[in-house]
């Protein structure tokens, strides 16, 4: 971490010690407040500053994030399916039923949001900028692995400082379809299937029952919708609509947007 000895708010043109978001590997450098950077709070140790509020015994001062969502991504023979719900909650309060939890980074890359909406939105939009810069410099699209590594490197610099993010990055590059999980601690891993959020256990249950790599496109669509629908029914923090995306060799397409309540009652009617 880096300390800054400055007045708050920042004065344009003044020099402060910050973490540089534009540099992917540099742990920090002297920049001005006009540059592309993420300023720290005026505290000698930001990680300790956040921890004091998270562990405070006073209910008025305590900061505790209540997050909830269900996001799902899985590979199959025809590409990658991304399915997410659309509910945003603040504790037990449903703040929105129409949140777009898929960040369209570029025509060949998608990111999902789980955790803090502000953190996911900010860092994935910054990732979109870095991917575009890479493409302009190298005259070719960035790989899924490189994009996920950039995101991991950026958020790792802020480990322990209160970020809340669990995202999937999926896309198609020279190696074919790619799917990575990246969280706010900088952890990065790849697999054929991920589900992130409070409803992920329910989604995994549906996936364990119905997943096959050789399934058809329509079967994959139905499985993705069904997994989010069942998770939204059982998890109070998930709901709204199912937004379904398909990542193909020629880029992603948005397949559908389906109300989870209608899907659930329709499934009950089909069982009769």
């Amino acid at each position: 971490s880096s300390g800054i000895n400055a007045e708050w708010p920042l004065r344009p043109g003044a020099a402060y010690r910050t973490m540089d978001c534009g540099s992917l590997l540099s742990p920090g450098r002297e920049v001005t407040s006009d540059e592309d950077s993420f300023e720290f709070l005026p505290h000698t140790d930001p990680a300790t500053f956040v921890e004091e509020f998270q562990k405070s015994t006073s209910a008025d001062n305590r900061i505790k994030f209540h997050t909830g969502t269900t996001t799902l991504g899985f590979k199959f023979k025809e590409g990658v399916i991304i399915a997410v719900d659309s509910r945003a909650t603040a504790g037990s309060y449903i703040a929105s039923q129409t949140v777009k939890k898929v960040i369209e980074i570029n025509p060949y890359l998608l990111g999902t949001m789980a955790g803090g909406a502000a953190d996911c939105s900010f860092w994935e939009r910054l990732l979109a900028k870095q991917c575009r810069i890479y493409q302009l410099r190298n005259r070719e699209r960035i790989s899924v692995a490189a994009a996920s590594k950039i995101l991991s490197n950026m958020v790792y610099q802020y480990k322990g400082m209160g970020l809340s993010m669990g995202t999937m990055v999926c896309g198609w590059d020279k190696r074919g379809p790619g799917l990575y999980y990246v969280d706010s601690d900088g952890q990065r891993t790849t697999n054929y299937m991920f589900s992130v959020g409070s409803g992920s256990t329910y989604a995994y249950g549906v996936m364990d029952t119905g997943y096959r790599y050789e399934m058809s496109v329509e079967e994959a669509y139905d499985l993705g919708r069904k997994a989010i629908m069942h998770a939204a029914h059982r998890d109070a923090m998930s709901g709204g609509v199912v937004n379904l995306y398909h990542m193909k060799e020629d880029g992603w397409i948005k397949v559908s947007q389906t109300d989870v309540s209608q899907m659930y009652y329709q499934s009950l009617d089909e069982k009769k």
Side-chain angles (χ1 to χ4, degrees):
S1 61
S2 304
I4 59 174
N5 298 314
E7 298 177 0
W8 196 262
L10 298 175
R11 301 187 308 276
Y16 302 106
R17 183 69 174 171
T18 68
M19 298 296 284
D20 175 24
C21 298
S23 174
L24 305 182
L25 299 176
S26 172
R29 62 185 178 89
E30 294 291 342
V31 300
T32 67
S33 60
D34 293 332
E35 293 188 49
D36 180 18
S37 58
F38 188 85
E39 310 294 351
F40 283 137
L41 290 170
H43 196 275
T44 55
D45 188 351
T48 304
F49 178 75
V50 172
E51 188 177 2
E52 289 174 0
F53 285 94
Q54 289 178 332
K55 296 184 177 180
S56 173
T57 56
S58 170
D60 294 333
N61 294 334
R62 189 182 305 121
I63 299 174
K64 188 174 182 181
F65 296 105
H66 295 278
T67 59
T69 188
T70 306
T71 61
L72 171 69
F74 62 91
K75 292 181 183 180
F76 74 117
K77 67 175 184 177
E78 298 293 339
V80 185
I81 297 295
I82 294 292
V84 300
D85 75 315
S86 64
R87 176 174 292 181
T89 55
S92 59
Y93 173 68
I94 298 175
S96 175
Q97 288 278 72
T98 57
V99 175
K100 187 177 180 181
K101 296 185 182 179
V102 175
I103 304 292
E104 298 160 356
I105 298 172
N106 65 36
Y108 295 88
L109 280 174
L110 292 173
T112 64
M113 294 171 53
D119 291 339
C120 293
S121 180
F122 175 83
W123 290 108
E124 291 188 36
R125 290 172 194 276
L126 185 57
L127 173 63
K129 171 189 167 183
Q130 295 292 349
C131 291
R132 179 58 178 156
I133 291 173
Y134 177 96
Q135 186 173 357
L136 291 171
R137 285 174 175 168
N138 297 279
R139 299 184 182 181
E140 66 175 1
R141 294 200 316 266
I142 192 169
S143 67
V144 186
S148 63
K149 187 63 176 177
I150 287 175
L151 180 61
S152 173
N153 286 349
M154 288 192 297
V155 298
Y156 181 75
Q157 298 179 83
Y158 298 89
K159 184 175 181 178
M161 298 187 192
L163 293 183
S164 174
M165 187 187 80
T167 183
M168 290 177 283
V169 177
C170 89
W172 197 296
D173 55 30
K174 296 176 182 177
R175 299 180 179 178
L179 179 63
Y180 286 80
Y181 167 79
V182 179
D183 67 18
S184 47
D185 288 333
Q187 177 184 343
R188 169 181 170 269
T189 185
T190 184
N191 208 334
Y192 70 94
M193 182 196 305
F194 291 109
S195 184
V196 187
S198 56
S200 61
T201 52
Y202 306 109
Y204 274 131
V206 175
M207 294 300 297
D208 289 342
T209 303
Y211 176 79
R212 291 181 298 106
Y213 182 79
E214 297 296 331
M215 70 179 111
S216 68
V217 172
E218 287 303 321
E219 287 175 332
Y221 291 171
D222 290 340
L223 183 61
R225 291 191 197 99
K226 188 184 295 182
I228 300 298
M229 180 265 288
H230 282 288
H233 177 66
R234 293 294 179 186
D235 175 38
M237 302 295 183
S238 303
V241 298
V242 182
N243 287 312
L244 189 74
Y245 287 76
H246 182 189
M247 180 63 67
K248 302 191 290 185
E249 186 173 4
D250 56 352
W252 58 262
I253 60 170
K254 185 173 183 180
V255 178
S256 63
Q257 185 177 77
T258 315
D259 186 274
V260 294
S261 297
Q262 293 179 5
M263 287 181 61
Y264 179 74
Y265 289 113
Q266 183 180 345
S267 68
L268 290 182
D269 292 338
E270 292 173 355
K271 292 179 181 178
K272 293 180 181 178

